[in-house]
Amino acid sequence: MNVVLDNLDLYIQGMRTTVVLTLASFGLALIIGTLVASARVSPIPPLRVAGTFFVETIRNTPLLVLIVLFFFGLTKVGIRYSPLVSAIIVLGIYTSTFVAETLRSGINAVATGQAEAARSLGLTFPQVMGIVVLPQAFRTVVPPLGSVFIALIKNSSLASVIAVKDLTFQADSLANATARPAAVFLGAAVGYLVLALPSGWLIGRIERRVAIKR
Amino acid sequence: MTTAPVLADALGPRGRRRVAVASVVTGAAIAGLVAVAVLRLADKGQLDRAQWEPLTRWSVVRFLLGGLGNTLKAAAAAMVVAMVVGALLALGRLARASPVRYLAGAWVEFFRATPLILLILFSALALPRYGLHLSVFWYLVLALVAYNGSILAEIFRSGILSLDRGQSEAAFALGLGYWQTMLAVVIPQAARRMVPAIVSQLVTLLKDTSLGYVITYEELLRRSRSTGEFFHDPLQAVAFVALMYVIVNFTLSRIASRLEVRQRRRYRAGALGVTGVEDLAVVDAHGDAATTAKPTARAPRRR
């Protein structure tokens, strides 16, 4: 275990990058996911079709393929970002489809009377969504959104493939440098646990805080 | 499925007109975006014939199809082994002996919480040091089994727990033993409910085989990268392969949701809608928020 303790600063650096990567892409995923979920339930057919197409294509493509496509493919059309920014964009887009699907199930779980009441008060569709339905939908989907977030922490490890210096990348290079892969990777696994456990606890707290008493 | 019965009611003439206008406007906007993308691609010479020509050669397509074959092979092997491992772990977690329960629980929680890529690197870099020399194929399969076995274990466990208690109680009352109850009564019924969740997990697993790329397993993504490097058309090669993934996975996802709908119609109890942690194939059911919004795989906590 000495390998891990001696290189603790590398691990902490890696974890910091993982945290930045996860939070930034989750923020992006929440924004895109909310828009896509709204598009999928909107009364305008082209928006619904576009939303469905987006979700089905992105969700059925492996994340690593998307990362490679973005990083090595899109440079050819002049879309060039640093590895970190590329990873944030791709992770954000990929995760947004899961956010959108989760949110859509939350929207469907909001009682029909809520939207009906909002409409009869004369609210427009964006108002119905923004003021009445989405706030309630978000509250019901806190636990599954939490699972999406924790999955994202793990998925962020794929950024190491395009040389983002996250926890996995640091562990991989440390394993190669020290020739002690078992201890090094175990340390990294513990690192991910250290990130995931408090997140789970926090999600539980948020869940209790916003739970709708019925 | 794409309609929104909840949020918009039957429209009057004015509403219909407004939706029609909005449809035209958004349709035009989307077409505009696509046009910008296409123009950009053409501008950078990515739509040139020379860039796509390699993908029309049979030798190249055969090479990529071989990659798809390797992907499917790894996925199939991993799925079969992971099902066995998952079943054992699930039984372990439900066992009456508490050491078995804790051991299986710790195993499941650890592997479920570790990123798959770490498991793959561990299996390919650390195992040889302990004298376990395998091909990259088996390193990949081993890591996939370690990860997906835990997820399937949770699916199995929640499937078994979702069954009404009366079933096993009745079996015990009839004098069946633990294994007889499990094999003759509980598992046959639970298995049926779990099918959609298992198929969805298969989609996730299939996508995850692309991580074999990292340890140079010759699967679809690696082969597309080689093609892209050889012909200097990375964009086309990877996009082509992405399309292959989408076709295979979309078909599987469709099967999963079809099974789920059928299941729900047949048994009012409903199928498990969630596939573990990775893919939340959240089911849109109307009404009951408790069953739709919670990840079912985690729901049956001991109270």
Side-chain angles (χ1 to χ4, degrees), chain A residues 11 18 31 56 61 67 93 98 114 127 136 174 177 211:
Chain A
Y11 277 96
T18 296
I31 296 169
E56 292 297 342
T61 316
I67 291 176
I93 290 175
F98 295 97
Q114 296 286 331
Q127 285 175 324
Q136 297 186 63
L174 200 59

Side-chain angles (χ1 to χ4, degrees), chain B residues 29-112:
Chain B
I30 293 166
L33 277 176
V34 173
V36 167
V38 170
L39 282 179
R40 184 91 182 249
L41 283 169
D43 189 38
K44 302 280 175 180
Q46 294 302 316
L47 294 180
D48 293 357
R49 219 188 163 143
Q51 292 287 315
W52 292 92
E53 189 271 333
L55 290 173
T56 60
R57 283 186 222 167
W58 173 235
S59 58
V60 175
V61 173
R62 196 176 51 192
F63 181 68
L64 290 176
L65 283 177
L68 180 63
N70 286 341
T71 291
L72 294 176
K73 212 166 67 183
M79 193 65 188
V80 171
V81 185
M83 295 263 278
V84 177
V85 172
L88 291 176
L89 285 172
L91 286 178
R93 283 202 91 169
L94 295 168
R96 268 173 284 183
S98 60
V100 178
R101 218 162 52 218
Y102 289 130
L103 216 63
W107 177 278
V108 167
E109 292 301 337
F110 178 79
F111 282 107
R112 223 170 57 144

Side-chain angles (χ1 to χ4, degrees), chain B residues 282-300:
Chain B
V282 186
V283 190
D284 48 324
H286 299 282
D288 199 356
T291 51
T292 46
K294 259 185 201 157
T296 325
R298 281 172 159 197

Side-chain angles (χ1 to χ4, degrees), chain B residues 220-275:
Chain B
L220 202 43
L221 178 59
R222 174 145 294 273
R223 288 212 164 171
S224 82
R225 285 288 289 144
S226 326
T227 318
E229 250 150 49
F230 190 79
F231 293 107
H232 303 289
D233 62 344
L235 183 61
Q236 289 75 8
V238 181
F240 184 70
V241 153
L243 186 69
M244 284 164 99
Y245 272 113
V246 170
I247 291 170
V248 173
N249 288 328
F250 184 74
T251 315
L252 280 173
S253 308
R254 261 294 117 87
I255 293 173
S257 58
R258 191 71 58 79
L259 284 170
E260 203 164 295
V261 169
R262 210 178 68 177
Q263 206 110 110
R264 195 160 332 129
R265 211 177 295 140
R266 202 178 289 174
Y267 314 97
R268 295 198 50 214
L272 298 183
V274 169
T275 61

Side-chain angles (χ1 to χ4, degrees), chain A residues 87-142:
Chain A
I88 289 173
I89 294 173
V90 180
L91 278 168
I93 290 175
Y94 181 78
T95 310
S96 76
T97 60
F98 295 97
V99 171
E101 287 302 273
T102 309
L103 208 51
R104 199 162 66 99
S105 79
I107 290 171
N108 284 332
V110 173
T112 329
Q114 296 286 331
E116 282 169 357
R119 267 206 316 279
S120 62
L121 285 174
L123 301 192
T124 61
F125 178 77
Q127 285 175 324
V128 174
M129 285 299 283
I131 305 172
V132 179
V133 176
L134 278 179
Q136 297 186 63
F138 265 114
R139 291 170 76 171
T140 49
V141 296
V142 166

Side-chain angles (χ1 to χ4, degrees), chain A residues 48 59-60 98 119 144 154, chain B residues 2 7 112 147 207 293:
Chain A
R48 285 208 299 270
R59 216 168 52 142
N60 284 315
F98 295 97
R119 267 206 316 279
K154 294 192 296 166
Chain B
T2 46
L7 298 168
R112 223 170 57 144
Y147 183 74
K207 290 196 299 180

Side-chain angles (χ1 to χ4, degrees), chain B residues 203-220:
Chain B
V203 173
T204 310
L205 193 152
L206 197 76
K207 290 196 299 180
D208 284 346
T209 53
S210 63
L211 294 187
Y213 173 76
V214 181
I215 55 168
T216 72
Y217 177 61
E218 284 281 312
E219 46 70 62
L220 202 43

